[in-house]
Amino acid sequence: MTAAPAPGRDRLEYPPLQEADMFRKQDSRGYSTPIAKIRQKTLVHGEKTLLAEFRLDKGAVLPDHRHPHEQTGYLVTGRMELTIGGQPHLVEPGDSWCIAGNTPHSALALEDSVAVEAFSPVREDYLPQGE
């Protein structure tokens, strides 16, 4: 037997989004390929942060690089070797990391992988065209 919803709770109500808020539904469009075997898509961004998804094919290599943005990530699926400041790390689903700005880092996809990363401040080069 299913309990009846509490009065006034039969549907969820949400406050309207403010001008600075952003909400996007999942969409398979909008990926770019900045490096062979790596697809990148900006999910959402605000004034101070940007959230991006990366899909790496097995064998993809993200060369050693650095940028001024702090980068915090989470591996959703797959396996990668992530090298941060010269220190290699085996990254598996559920693992997370934070890379300080201007720290050299690189990655090697050991399997097809999906990572989600936040950048602060916003990476202007990752903003979708027209925003």
Side-chain angles (χ1 to χ4, degrees), residues 76-87:
V76 179
T77 62
R79 289 176 59 238
M80 298 189 319
E81 181 179 281
L82 179 61
T83 301
I84 303 170
Q87 178 68 42

Side-chain angles (χ1 to χ4, degrees), residues 25-36:
K25 297 289 283 179
Q26 186 279 336
D27 187 343
S28 61
R29 296 172 295 166
Y31 288 88
S32 64
T33 306
I35 297 172

